[in-house]
Every structure is written in C-alpha cells, then in structure tokens.
Amino acid sequence: VLSESERLGALDAILALRSGNFEPGLFGGGAEILTATRGLRIDWNVALRATNVWYDRIAEASRLPYQERREALAALEMAVQDLSKQAESARIALGVFSTKARSQILADIMLSLSIPSVLSCTNAEDRSKIQWDALTIAIGLAQYKAAEGEYPQQLELLVPSYLQEVPADFYRDEPFVYKKTEDGYLLYSVFSNGKDDLGTSLEGDVVRGEYTSETNVDPNECDIVIRIPVPKFDLQALLDKHGVVGGSTGE
C-alpha cells in the first residue's frame, strides 16, 4: 500500500503542481513554498524520478525481516525529516540556483510533504498482518476441534490437514505462543515490543491469559491475543460499566 497508492498520490501531486491546477490544501503547510515555483523554470522529471527512487527504497526496506526492516525504515524516516527541515530555507534558494539545482530542491520539498510516516504506516500494516495470521491459526484450531472433539496439544498438529503451515510470529521470528487450557486455548503474538507479556491483550480485556474487566493496561507491554472461549456477552454489565442508565448516560 505504501509503495503503490502513496507513490501514485505523490506523483499525481507533482503533476498537479506542474499544471498549476491544484488546491492549496493538497500540500498542507507546504502550499506557500510550492506556490513560489510558479513562473520558475523547473525540470519536473527530476521530481518524478526522485519520488520513484525514494519509494523504491521504502519498498525494498519493507521486504526485509522485521528487525532489519524497522532499522532501515527508521533511517529513511530520519532522512525524510531532514528534507522537511530544509524546506523553509529552500524556498529562498528556489529563485537563485540553476534550473537543475532548483528542480532538485523542489523534489526534496515535495518528498518532505508527500512521504508519510513510514514507520507509522508499516507498524499499522504489521499489526494487521499479525492479527490475520492469528485468525488463520484460530480457524485451523476450530476446524481441528470440530473434527477431533478437542483442541490440539500443539499447533504443528494442524499441518497439513487444516493449515499448509503454521504462520510464525515475525515480531521475534518464533512460533506464536499457544497453550491448550481446560476450557479452550490461549494464542498470542508477543507484538511489537518483542517481549512475552503473558497474554495481556492490547485492548485490556485479557490480562495474563484470562478475560477480565480491567482495561487499564500499558500499550507498550501487551500482546496480540486470542482467548477461547470468549465470555458470554452481558449487555447490562456493559451498560453499567459505561454508566448508561435507561438508555442514557447517568450523572
């Protein structure tokens, strides 16, 4: 997504700027700087090539294993922040340098405005993927129980009848934590801190592997958790928890 949709959006913004037919809001706080390019001679291919090079670097870094990817993307994000810091002084330089230099300055300004926080984007994508992998395992576990009458002692028993392979927890390049319990199972990824927080969920509804009414957990010390069975839904308890009385919020 970052390499494709965001790349196309950045390239489209450059073409809009070239035509002069753009809404100032398209460039956020950089509209004033970019408006200064009107009437200046610009080699727009420089900006287009530079944008593609940057997104190629982001795409290449994104394909690395998790820890290497984080380090590579963090370095790229710092480089983008440096471009942003240079943007204000570059506005003055736009009218001074040669066409080639001016075009490169414009490209740097555009990149500082168009490239989003690469770490934020990839963190969100990683979280979605690990949740999908956990759900994939949970589906395999449900199929196993339907066929065998109980959950397996270990995840490897799902292969090959229910899963072609068991997804690994890429946050530490090890298997998901799986524990068969008396009434079901506990399955979790250690999530982004790479540390086993004993099955305490990001949402706070599961603490140390068990459902709880506690929701005040440290988001930096939690896992991505599936705990089966889930508690029976209690609407009244939910209303009481949020202070809702008779369909309205109590005083």
Side-chain angles (χ1 to χ4, degrees), residues 194-225:
K195 181 172 68 74
D196 188 340
D197 292 300
L198 304 178
T200 296
S201 69
L202 179 63
E203 296 77 14
D205 57 339
V206 179
V207 173
R208 293 179 174 267
E210 297 296 339
Y211 280 99
T212 176
S213 59
E214 178 183 352
T215 57
N216 185 25
V217 300
D218 185 343
N220 296 312
E221 297 184 0
C222 58
D223 305 311
I224 297 294
V225 180

Side-chain angles (χ1 to χ4, degrees), residues 7-195:
R7 181 199 300 258
L8 292 175
L11 295 173
D12 184 62
I14 294 172
L15 295 177
L17 183 62
R18 176 183 180 277
S19 70
N21 183 25
F22 66 89
E23 293 292 330
L26 177 64
F27 303 105
E32 180 183 350
I33 296 175
L34 295 174
T35 301
T37 64
R38 288 173 173 167
L40 296 177
R41 188 173 180 180
I42 299 292
D43 183 351
W44 296 97
N45 286 325
V46 171
L48 293 171
R49 282 194 296 268
T51 298
N52 275 319
V53 167
W54 270 88
Y55 277 97
D56 285 345
R57 292 172 65 187
I58 292 172
E60 182 179 355
S62 298
R63 289 190 288 268
L64 295 172
Y66 177 71
Q67 292 298 337
E68 295 177 50
R69 179 169 75 249
R70 283 188 62 83
E71 293 173 5
L73 291 174
L76 285 174
E77 185 156 298
M78 288 185 64
V80 172
Q81 290 173 357
D82 287 340
L83 291 179
S84 181
K85 292 175 183 178
Q86 298 167 12
E88 182 59 32
S89 59
R91 185 169 81 97
I92 300 173
L94 278 172
V96 178
F97 287 86
S98 66
T99 298
K100 180 179 179 180
R102 186 188 306 126
S103 301
Q104 185 59 57
I105 290 171
L106 172 68
D108 291 346
I109 296 172
M110 289 291 297
L111 287 164
S112 73
L113 296 172
S114 62
I115 294 181
S117 170
V118 291
L119 282 179
S120 294
C121 289
T122 53
N123 285 346
E125 185 174 355
D126 284 342
R127 179 178 171 183
S128 295
K129 184 179 186 307
I130 206 70
Q131 289 173 325
W132 177 259
D133 287 347
L135 180 60
T136 298
I137 296 173
I139 291 172
L141 289 167
Q143 292 174 322
Y144 185 101
K145 184 175 187 299
E148 306 294 335
E150 62 178 357
Y151 292 110
Q153 292 293 335
Q154 54 190 29
L155 294 179
E156 287 73 14
L157 295 175
L158 299 176
V159 180
S161 298
Y162 307 101
L163 296 176
Q164 290 185 348
E165 62 179 2
V166 180
D169 181 358
F170 57 78
Y171 284 111
R172 62 174 181 177
D173 196 25
E174 293 183 12
F176 277 72
V177 176
Y178 170 72
K179 299 176 182 178
K180 181 182 177 184
T181 62
E182 184 176 343
D183 60 347
Y185 67 83
L186 173 66
L187 174 73
Y188 62 91
S189 155
V190 298
F191 198 32
S192 55
N193 67 1
K195 181 172 68 74

